[in-house]
Structure formats: structure tokens, C-alpha cells
Amino acid sequence: MDLGLKGRWALVCAASKGLGKGCAKALAAEGVNVVITARGAEGLEATAAELRALAAAVQVKAVAGDITTPEGRAAALTACPQVDILVNNAGGPPPGDFRDWSREDWVKAVDANMLTPIELIKATVDGMAERGFGRIVNITSGAVKAPIDVLGLSNGARSGLTGFVAGVARQRRLAACNVTINNLLPGVFDTDRIRTTTRAQAQRAGKPEAELIAMRLATVPAGRLGTPDEFGAMCAFLCSAHASYVTGQNILMDGGAYPGTF
Ligand code: NAD
């Protein structure tokens, strides 16, 4: 299926690896020019080179910087001639017990996982509406739908974003101008983040890493971790010309882990 995206420009945040990279790869493969960001220049340049090799016809720009800062966002936006597609992403907050979290911890989580995407939506959405095409995909988490106790910072901050998106996506001045805003909710995906957190949990529990992964997979009917490529394919479809009638939705990709009917 041709997704009808050739020649568009996408800003994909936090994309040197993991889910963001999966989205950038899928979009580039569809002929979308991409601006990718991440904090570390080295990893980011390596990913940019990979994308150029994958899709020789597309332009790939790498902008190193922290997307949760005004300077990082300004640099990313300046590098993108026009943002037709925005994929919002940033690192997730650390796990823990809410009794240990300070106001500063909360502000950091809300800044990264709620206010940063809102600022980027604010900077891009009206231009999208004027041009009659826009796609925004926010990478959130399955924890928005089924909260995970130790991820309270994530549950809280991302739920704030989800509520905001539910309202703004339904503004007629956006939806009627072919601008869609959706959230993509990952369950457990095979990325560095999952490997690092599993390793730390295994060390704390004094158990082999494989046992911890097996315990996690016991709750996933698909019996495996998701892959960044699968995640990227779903993101690219949501950005496609065919998905203009899908907006304000929370799309869960979790291998069937969420046990509800809806
Ligand atoms: P990852 O660690 O594999 O990759 C994170 C990427 O974000 C890297 O490219 C990193 O450089 C970049 N990054 C982090 N903070 C940044 C910042 N402030 N500015 C710019 N770039 C930044 O992580 P991932 O597994 O791909 O996770 C992506 C998001 O999805 C995170 O918010 C994570 O909490 C969430 N999530 C992931 C899973 C999963 O199973 N992997 C599940 C639920 C939610």
C-alpha cells in the first residue's frame, strides 16, 4: 500500500534508537524527509546514516539536543522546513515510589512527557491546518490505560497529555482541515530502555535476566516483545493519507496484554 506521504517532512523526536527510530525508519521508507533528534550526537548521526542508506531519495537531518528544553525544540523546528508530521517522543520518567518523589521530580516528568509535546503541537498545528494536511502521533504508554504502580510519574504526566489531546484533536478548525492527533501506546517493546530496566530489576531481585523477561511475557498473549519496526509501521499508517478519519484516538500496541473488551 502506498501511504501517500512522498515528499512530506516529519519531525521525529527522540529518534536515535528504540521506538522513535522505528517511526523515523518507517516514514523514511515511505519517502518522507525526516528531522530526527536525540541528546547524543554520535548515536544520532549513526541513525541518520542508517536512514540515508535505507532511503536514498529522502533528506535526513540530525539535530542533537534535549527536546524537553526550549532551545532543543527551537533547533528541531528550525531544521524542519515545514512540519507535516510530528512524532512526539522523549525518554520516560524513572520508576519508584511516590513517597520518594519531590516536586522537582514531578515537574521534570510533566515537562518531558506532557508539556514538551504540547509545546510542539502548539508550534506546528495551525500551520498544518492552513496547508490542509497534518499528522501528529504522540508516543505515550500502555500505562495510560492500565497504570503501572511503580511508574506513577509516567502514569500521571502522560495522562495529562492524553486529556489535552482528547480535547484539541476534536477542534473543528483542525479536524476539518485534515489534521489528526493520535496517541500510540506501547506495551512491552524490545528497546534499550526495556533491556536496561530489566537488567536492573534482575540485579536487585538476584534473578537471571531471562527469568524476569519470561515473567513479563507471561502477561502478553503474543508471547513476545514488540519490535520497533512494528511500532514504526503503525505510526506510519496513522500518518498516512488513508488515516484522515482517525483522530483523538489512543491506539494500544501490546500483543493483547490489556485484558478488557474495549
Ligand atoms: P529508548 O531508550 O530505546 O530510546 C529513547 C530515545 O529517546 C533515544 O534516542 C534517546 O536518545 C532519546 N531521548 C531520550 N530523552 C531525550 C530528550 N530529552 N531529548 C531528546 N532525545 C531524548 O526508549 P524507548 O523504549 O524507545 O522509549 C521511548 C518512549 O516510549 C519513552 O518515553 C518510554 O518511556 C516509552 N515507552 C516505552 C516502552 C517500551 O516497551 N519500550 C513501553 C512503554 C512506554
Side-chain angles (χ1 to χ4, degrees), residues 141-158:
S141 172
V144 171
K145 199 164 160 96
I148 301 167
D149 175 26
V150 294
L151 293 181
L153 290 168
S154 172
N155 301 337
R158 295 189 202 275

PDB file of all heavy atoms in Angstrom, residues 141-158:
ATOM      1  N   SER A 141       2.146   5.570  26.429  1.00  0.00           N
ATOM      2  CA  SER A 141       2.449   4.288  27.068  1.00  0.00           C
ATOM      3  C   SER A 141       1.158   3.541  27.364  1.00  0.00           C
ATOM      4  O   SER A 141       0.123   4.164  27.652  1.00  0.00           O
ATOM      5  CB  SER A 141       3.193   4.533  28.388  1.00  0.00           C
ATOM      6  OG  SER A 141       3.319   3.315  29.100  1.00  0.00           O
ATOM      7  N   GLY A 142       1.245   2.211  27.350  1.00  0.00           N
ATOM      8  CA  GLY A 142       0.116   1.381  27.777  1.00  0.00           C
ATOM      9  C   GLY A 142      -0.272   1.717  29.215  1.00  0.00           C
ATOM     10  O   GLY A 142      -1.407   1.464  29.644  1.00  0.00           O
ATOM     11  N   ALA A 143       0.669   2.321  29.965  1.00  0.00           N
ATOM     12  CA  ALA A 143       0.407   2.675  31.372  1.00  0.00           C
ATOM     13  C   ALA A 143      -0.666   3.754  31.498  1.00  0.00           C
ATOM     14  O   ALA A 143      -1.209   3.956  32.579  1.00  0.00           O
ATOM     15  CB  ALA A 143       1.701   3.145  32.041  1.00  0.00           C
ATOM     16  N   VAL A 144      -0.992   4.439  30.393  1.00  0.00           N
ATOM     17  CA  VAL A 144      -2.079   5.417  30.439  1.00  0.00           C
ATOM     18  C   VAL A 144      -3.415   4.680  30.597  1.00  0.00           C
ATOM     19  O   VAL A 144      -4.336   5.158  31.252  1.00  0.00           O
ATOM     20  CB  VAL A 144      -2.083   6.273  29.140  1.00  0.00           C
ATOM     21  CG1 VAL A 144      -3.317   7.144  29.061  1.00  0.00           C
ATOM     22  CG2 VAL A 144      -0.825   7.125  29.067  1.00  0.00           C
ATOM     23  N   LYS A 145      -3.507   3.509  29.987  1.00  0.00           N
ATOM     24  CA  LYS A 145      -4.757   2.740  30.016  1.00  0.00           C
ATOM     25  C   LYS A 145      -4.798   1.781  31.211  1.00  0.00           C
ATOM     26  O   LYS A 145      -5.838   1.586  31.823  1.00  0.00           O
ATOM     27  CB  LYS A 145      -4.885   1.955  28.701  1.00  0.00           C
ATOM     28  CG  LYS A 145      -6.293   1.491  28.419  1.00  0.00           C
ATOM     29  CD  LYS A 145      -6.428   1.092  26.961  1.00  0.00           C
ATOM     30  CE  LYS A 145      -7.627   0.184  26.768  1.00  0.00           C
ATOM     31  NZ  LYS A 145      -8.813   0.887  26.332  1.00  0.00           N
ATOM     32  N   ALA A 146      -3.666   1.172  31.503  1.00  0.00           N
ATOM     33  CA  ALA A 146      -3.565   0.242  32.631  1.00  0.00           C
ATOM     34  C   ALA A 146      -2.350   0.668  33.458  1.00  0.00           C
ATOM     35  O   ALA A 146      -1.230   0.232  33.189  1.00  0.00           O
ATOM     36  CB  ALA A 146      -3.401  -1.186  32.114  1.00  0.00           C
ATOM     37  N   PRO A 147      -2.559   1.566  34.437  1.00  0.00           N
ATOM     38  CA  PRO A 147      -1.427   2.161  35.160  1.00  0.00           C
ATOM     39  C   PRO A 147      -0.521   1.109  35.804  1.00  0.00           C
ATOM     40  O   PRO A 147      -0.999   0.070  36.272  1.00  0.00           O
ATOM     41  CB  PRO A 147      -2.093   3.006  36.240  1.00  0.00           C
ATOM     42  CG  PRO A 147      -3.499   3.166  35.818  1.00  0.00           C
ATOM     43  CD  PRO A 147      -3.848   2.019  34.951  1.00  0.00           C
ATOM     44  N   ILE A 148       0.772   1.411  35.781  1.00  0.00           N
ATOM     45  CA  ILE A 148       1.755   0.516  36.417  1.00  0.00           C
ATOM     46  C   ILE A 148       2.227   1.235  37.679  1.00  0.00           C
ATOM     47  O   ILE A 148       2.754   2.355  37.603  1.00  0.00           O
ATOM     48  CB  ILE A 148       2.935   0.243  35.452  1.00  0.00           C
ATOM     49  CG1 ILE A 148       2.412  -0.397  34.155  1.00  0.00           C
ATOM     50  CG2 ILE A 148       3.984  -0.652  36.109  1.00  0.00           C
ATOM     51  CD1 ILE A 148       3.425  -0.412  33.014  1.00  0.00           C
ATOM     52  N   ASP A 149       2.000   0.604  38.835  1.00  0.00           N
ATOM     53  CA  ASP A 149       2.243   1.232  40.138  1.00  0.00           C
ATOM     54  C   ASP A 149       3.570   1.998  40.207  1.00  0.00           C
ATOM     55  O   ASP A 149       3.596   3.177  40.521  1.00  0.00           O
ATOM     56  CB  ASP A 149       2.165   0.130  41.218  1.00  0.00           C
ATOM     57  CG  ASP A 149       2.523   0.672  42.585  1.00  0.00           C
ATOM     58  OD1 ASP A 149       2.339   1.882  42.800  1.00  0.00           O
ATOM     59  OD2 ASP A 149       2.991  -0.110  43.430  1.00  0.00           O
ATOM     60  N   VAL A 150       4.674   1.329  39.867  1.00  0.00           N
ATOM     61  CA  VAL A 150       5.988   1.962  40.047  1.00  0.00           C
ATOM     62  C   VAL A 150       6.273   3.063  39.024  1.00  0.00           C
ATOM     63  O   VAL A 150       7.257   3.785  39.136  1.00  0.00           O
ATOM     64  CB  VAL A 150       7.139   0.920  40.005  1.00  0.00           C
ATOM     65  CG1 VAL A 150       7.047  -0.021  41.189  1.00  0.00           C
ATOM     66  CG2 VAL A 150       7.135   0.161  38.689  1.00  0.00           C
ATOM     67  N   LEU A 151       5.398   3.166  38.022  1.00  0.00           N
ATOM     68  CA  LEU A 151       5.592   4.215  37.009  1.00  0.00           C
ATOM     69  C   LEU A 151       4.624   5.384  37.226  1.00  0.00           C
ATOM     70  O   LEU A 151       4.075   5.943  36.270  1.00  0.00           O
ATOM     71  CB  LEU A 151       5.420   3.627  35.608  1.00  0.00           C
ATOM     72  CG  LEU A 151       6.487   2.616  35.177  1.00  0.00           C
ATOM     73  CD1 LEU A 151       6.211   2.114  33.760  1.00  0.00           C
ATOM     74  CD2 LEU A 151       7.886   3.229  35.235  1.00  0.00           C
ATOM     75  N   GLY A 152       4.425   5.753  38.485  1.00  0.00           N
ATOM     76  CA  GLY A 152       3.477   6.824  38.822  1.00  0.00           C
ATOM     77  C   GLY A 152       3.754   8.131  38.096  1.00  0.00           C
ATOM     78  O   GLY A 152       2.830   8.822  37.680  1.00  0.00           O
ATOM     79  N   LEU A 153       5.038   8.472  37.933  1.00  0.00           N
ATOM     80  CA  LEU A 153       5.374   9.731  37.238  1.00  0.00           C
ATOM     81  C   LEU A 153       4.895   9.675  35.796  1.00  0.00           C
ATOM     82  O   LEU A 153       4.381  10.652  35.250  1.00  0.00           O
ATOM     83  CB  LEU A 153       6.889   9.968  37.281  1.00  0.00           C
ATOM     84  CG  LEU A 153       7.512  10.334  38.637  1.00  0.00           C
ATOM     85  CD1 LEU A 153       9.037  10.250  38.559  1.00  0.00           C
ATOM     86  CD2 LEU A 153       7.085  11.720  39.085  1.00  0.00           C
ATOM     87  N   SER A 154       5.077   8.521  35.188  1.00  0.00           N
ATOM     88  CA  SER A 154       4.654   8.325  33.792  1.00  0.00           C
ATOM     89  C   SER A 154       3.129   8.292  33.712  1.00  0.00           C
ATOM     90  O   SER A 154       2.519   8.972  32.872  1.00  0.00           O
ATOM     91  CB  SER A 154       5.269   7.023  33.259  1.00  0.00           C
ATOM     92  OG  SER A 154       4.757   6.703  31.998  1.00  0.00           O
ATOM     93  N   ASN A 155       2.493   7.512  34.593  1.00  0.00           N
ATOM     94  CA  ASN A 155       1.016   7.418  34.590  1.00  0.00           C
ATOM     95  C   ASN A 155       0.402   8.816  34.661  1.00  0.00           C
ATOM     96  O   ASN A 155      -0.523   9.149  33.924  1.00  0.00           O
ATOM     97  CB  ASN A 155       0.503   6.643  35.818  1.00  0.00           C
ATOM     98  CG  ASN A 155       1.041   5.224  35.912  1.00  0.00           C
ATOM     99  OD1 ASN A 155       1.444   4.649  34.927  1.00  0.00           O
ATOM    100  ND2 ASN A 155       1.054   4.670  37.123  1.00  0.00           N
ATOM    101  N   GLY A 156       0.938   9.627  35.571  1.00  0.00           N
ATOM    102  CA  GLY A 156       0.364  10.950  35.807  1.00  0.00           C
ATOM    103  C   GLY A 156       0.624  11.902  34.648  1.00  0.00           C
ATOM    104  O   GLY A 156      -0.309  12.487  34.091  1.00  0.00           O
ATOM    105  N   ALA A 157       1.900  12.067  34.283  1.00  0.00           N
ATOM    106  CA  ALA A 157       2.251  13.049  33.249  1.00  0.00           C
ATOM    107  C   ALA A 157       1.618  12.695  31.903  1.00  0.00           C
ATOM    108  O   ALA A 157       1.079  13.552  31.200  1.00  0.00           O
ATOM    109  CB  ALA A 157       3.770  13.135  33.117  1.00  0.00           C
ATOM    110  N   ARG A 158       1.659  11.433  31.543  1.00  0.00           N
ATOM    111  CA  ARG A 158       1.123  11.045  30.226  1.00  0.00           C
ATOM    112  C   ARG A 158      -0.399  11.124  30.200  1.00  0.00           C
ATOM    113  O   ARG A 158      -0.988  11.368  29.144  1.00  0.00           O
ATOM    114  CB  ARG A 158       1.597   9.632  29.874  1.00  0.00           C
ATOM    115  CG  ARG A 158       3.113   9.527  29.683  1.00  0.00           C
ATOM    116  CD  ARG A 158       3.441   8.163  29.140  1.00  0.00           C
ATOM    117  NE  ARG A 158       4.790   7.713  29.347  1.00  0.00           N
ATOM    118  CZ  ARG A 158       5.825   7.994  28.567  1.00  0.00           C
ATOM    119  NH1 ARG A 158       5.665   8.777  27.535  1.00  0.00           N
ATOM    120  NH2 ARG A 158       7.020   7.482  28.822  1.00  0.00           N
TER     121      ARG A 158
END
